[in-house]
Amino acid sequence: MSKLLSTISVGIFATLVLFACRTHVAPPEAVLPVPTEAQLRWHEMEMNAFIHFTTNTFTDREWGLGNEKPEIFNPTQLNADQWATVLRDAGFKGIILTCKHHDGFCLWPSAHTEHDVQSSPYKGGNGDVVREVADACRRHGLKFGVYLSPWDRNHPAYGTPEYIQYYREQLRELFTNYGDIFEMWFDGANGGDGYYGGKHEIRRIDGRTYYDWPTTLDLVRSLQPDVLFFSDAGPSIRWCGNEQGIGGETNWNTITPDTLYPGKPGIGDLLNTGSPDGTHWIPAEVNTSIRPGWFYHASEDSLVKTPEKLFEIYLTSIGRGSTLLLNVPPDPRGLIHERDVAVLKEWRALLDKTFNINLATNAKATADHYRGRSDLYAPDKVTDGDKDTYWATDDNQTQGQIDIELGERKTVSYVVLQEYIRLGQRVKRFSVSVRKGDEWIRVAEGTTIGYKRILQLDPVETNAIRVSIEEAKACPTLSNVEVY
Ligand code: FUL
């Protein structure tokens, strides 16, 4: 009897030791660089809206010269709650507003210029569009971001150090008086002809040196340390290299910024793909407009992108591991036009219908191997709906595959993959296969995954999906697989 008892207790002890070992396998070491907490939150936002609105909305131009009279700015029905609710209902998580575009007109009452909303008839000179939009964002659960054009075709001192002081004071106003700002957008278009206080001339600046960005960014960070800076070259978010809504099919969040500066010609391709050995985490943002122009033009009412086109852009931006920044410009009434509202609704419905039932939720998943055979990194972590758990392989393994059982045969059209980017971006090449009888048939392949990759398949009937990681910078991780 006592022998039996001791055998049982040795057995229990051994099971406990084994269990402890399995659950205490160390996570993979991070592959540097990795995103900051603020960048991670930004990746998770996935889609934000851009709002281009200023005197151009009233002059029917794309780039104002800087000599526009503030008197023309009078949106008599401006309703920032309409902007925020339409955009929130479409799924956007934040709004970035052109507080000042290249023409220099300021949508807020700035203490440093008279070329602003205070000099306009809007609300009898007591209006503040920046405040209205920032407040509406907060009321409707959206984050607020600002665009402040570095190029100013109105300002008399543009091109001299005095203008840089002016620009910094304006940033100080925006970052002090309007609550939290999640993203600051620095436009690369710079220098050229303009009004410049009546001089009507061409002013060229050296994009590398004129703005002395490091000092400006330090000032902004001293006011709001968590803000993310967008420009061609980052430092927090980079341009994707085009305005057509097309993120890189190969899309590294990493890039080496040494030789980059905002507005540098010929860097589109590099910005589009990033580089696998990049020294900094500077993810690409895909910015495009729902209309041909960035500002509202009545002549473009019939040219608003279709819901199907927006769906395609969703796949080439968010579906390629980028964040989408879609511009929706209000009209001269100060409202998002009925046509854009209708398109956004239909687009949302299309997205909801397509990504409605995830066939992989809690599905049984097996892998050819997983890290230390620890439950912490088991393959079912990709179907548990928890973004903080992930499948990983052992350190010396840069390949691996996961099979997901769907139960019955289903028609599959989309597969969504996500890496656990907190530990760095790793995957260089992967494929997706479906099971047909005893065979696995390859239906999609790609290079990078990153925060998210959405693969559109020719609809196929199957009862299991295989995700194969074929090449990676280090042991791969996957936090999520969805099947639709
Ligand atoms: C460009 C600008 O010149 C356009 O007017 C627009 O603001 C776009 C988002 O960026 O560089």
Side-chain angles (χ1 to χ4, degrees):
M1 183 66 178
S2 73
K3 197 169 170 204
L4 180 65
L5 273 180
S6 72
T7 312
I8 290 173
S9 37
V10 167
I12 291 173
F13 181 71
T15 310
L16 284 176
V17 169
L18 192 66
F19 179 74
C21 291
R22 279 193 184 175
T23 49
H24 284 98
V25 172
E29 244 175 65
V31 171
L32 299 177
V34 295
T36 63
E37 285 300 318
Q39 284 173 320
L40 273 172
R41 287 196 294 274
W42 176 86
H43 280 287
E44 286 168 5
M45 291 171 82
E46 297 195 1
M47 51 190 250
N48 296 313
F50 218 174
I51 289 195
H52 276 65
F53 188 63
T54 188
T55 46
N56 293 342
T57 313
F58 299 85
T59 56
D60 209 14
R61 292 182 71 110
E62 277 291 302
W63 282 9
L65 278 169
N67 61 354
E68 294 73 23
K69 298 255 176 296
E71 289 83 63
I72 62 173
F73 184 82
N74 195 15
T76 49
Q77 297 174 52
L78 193 145
N79 181 352
D81 283 314
Q82 187 242 12
W83 305 3
T85 50
V86 163
L87 297 170
R88 179 205 58 197
D89 293 349
F92 295 101
K93 301 291 188 247
I95 290 180
I96 299 179
L97 172 69
T98 54
C99 300
K100 177 185 89 164
H101 201 249
H102 308 330
D103 53 271
F105 181 79
C106 302
L107 293 184
W108 80 102
S110 170
H112 307 285
T113 182
E114 287 180 359
H115 196 59
D116 65 0
V117 67
Q118 239 173 145
S119 310
S120 82
Y122 179 57
K123 295 198 166 165
N126 295 311
D128 182 344
V129 181
V130 176
R131 173 142 346 269
E132 286 184 60
V133 177
D135 288 352
C137 281
R138 260 152 229 135
R139 272 197 295 280
H140 301 291
L142 295 164
K143 291 192 185 177
F144 177 63
V146 302
Y147 168 117
L148 187 75
S149 171
W151 183 23
D152 189 320
R153 301 172 99 189
N154 172 265
H155 203 276
Y158 182 77
T160 71
E162 184 193 331
Y163 171 76
I164 302 301
Q165 262 332 100
Y166 168 77
Y167 186 75
R168 288 184 184 149
E169 288 313 316
Q170 294 209 311
L171 283 171
R172 191 189 293 282
E173 288 182 323
L174 292 172
F175 279 84
T176 308
N177 301 328
Y178 296 93
D180 285 348
I181 294 173
F182 81 102
E183 181 172 335
M184 166 81 223
W185 223 85
F186 293 111
D187 199 310
N190 267 307
D193 64 323
Y195 170 71
Y196 304 125
K199 288 278 194 304
H200 289 286
E201 59 190 10
I202 295 177
R203 293 193 183 169
R204 303 244 172 259
I205 52 107
D206 182 345
R208 259 166 304 198
T209 53
Y210 176 53
Y211 296 104
D212 178 16
W213 286 120
T215 310
T216 302
L217 303 195
D218 280 351
L219 163 82
V220 176
R221 282 197 192 103
S222 74
L223 300 167
Q224 295 204 21
D226 280 344
V227 66
L228 297 171
F229 297 108
F230 166 98
S231 86
D232 293 4
S236 327
I237 302 164
R238 71 177 197 262
W239 187 38
C240 77
N242 66 70
E243 293 180 335
Q244 277 73 55
I246 306 172
E249 218 176 325
T250 293
N251 182 10
W252 290 97
N253 290 296
T254 47
I255 197 163
T256 302
D258 288 4
T259 58
L260 299 175
Y261 60 87
K264 181 177 178 180
I267 50 173
D269 288 349
L270 173 61
L271 294 177
N272 198 243
T273 59
S275 34
D277 53 359
T279 53
H280 290 67
W281 188 276
I282 308 179
E285 178 181 84
V286 172
N287 67 303
T288 189
S289 185
I290 194 168
R291 288 165 170 258
W294 292 99
F295 287 90
Y296 175 87
H297 309 287
S299 59
E300 293 180 352
D301 284 350
S302 59
L303 300 175
V304 175
K305 290 188 171 71
T306 60
E308 292 73 25
K309 178 68 192 170
L310 291 181
F311 184 82
E312 196 184 306
I313 288 175
Y314 182 89
L315 295 180
T316 56
S317 56
I318 295 167
R320 291 184 180 174
S322 283
T323 288
L324 171 63
L325 181 63
L326 182 73
N327 180 61
V328 184
D331 65 20
R333 294 173 300 175
L335 295 172
I336 297 179
H337 189 269
E338 290 74 358
R339 178 81 202 122
D340 308 57
V341 173
V343 164
L344 288 172
K345 264 201 189 130
E346 280 179 52
W347 176 46
R348 183 70 254 162
L350 196 55
L351 287 168
D352 289 344
K353 192 175 108 203
T354 309
F355 301 111
N356 179 18
I357 297 174
N358 172 11
L359 304 173
T361 301
N362 295 323
K364 182 175 166 233
T366 53
D368 55 350
H369 60 275
Y370 53 99
R371 194 170 181 80
R373 299 205 61 76
S374 160
D375 291 345
L376 283 177
Y377 313 104
D380 60 355
K381 299 299 176 227
V382 305
T383 55
D384 67 359
D386 181 345
K387 66 178 169 48
D388 294 320
T389 62
Y390 56 93
W391 163 77
T393 63
D394 284 321
D395 285 339
N396 53 355
Q397 287 284 351
T398 51
Q399 295 184 328
Q401 70 192 30
I402 296 186
D403 296 349
I404 296 172
E405 297 294 334
L406 304 178
E408 301 156 44
R409 289 169 74 83
K410 302 269 169 55
T411 304
V412 171
S413 306
Y414 296 90
V415 174
V416 179
L417 306 174
Q418 293 189 273
E419 278 184 80
Y420 186 70
I421 57 169
R422 238 173 227 284
L423 295 177
Q425 185 176 358
R426 296 154 182 258
V427 176
K428 289 175 136 177
R429 194 159 49 84
F430 69 91
S431 66
V432 172
S433 307
V434 296
R435 194 168 56 205
K436 287 264 184 193
D438 294 337
E439 262 187 280
W440 288 96
I441 304 184
R442 205 173 162 100
V443 288
E445 56 196 16
T447 50
T448 53
I449 297 177
Y451 171 71
K452 185 174 269 190
R453 186 73 197 253
I454 306 176
L455 301 147
Q456 187 174 27
L457 314 179
D458 286 335
V460 56
E461 260 201 34
T462 186
N463 60 3
I465 296 281
R466 168 172 289 176
V467 179
S468 308
I469 306 301
E470 295 167 357
E471 202 184 332
K473 281 171 78 172
C475 62
T477 69
L478 281 183
S479 65
N480 190 33
V481 177
E482 294 168 23
V483 178
Y484 297 95

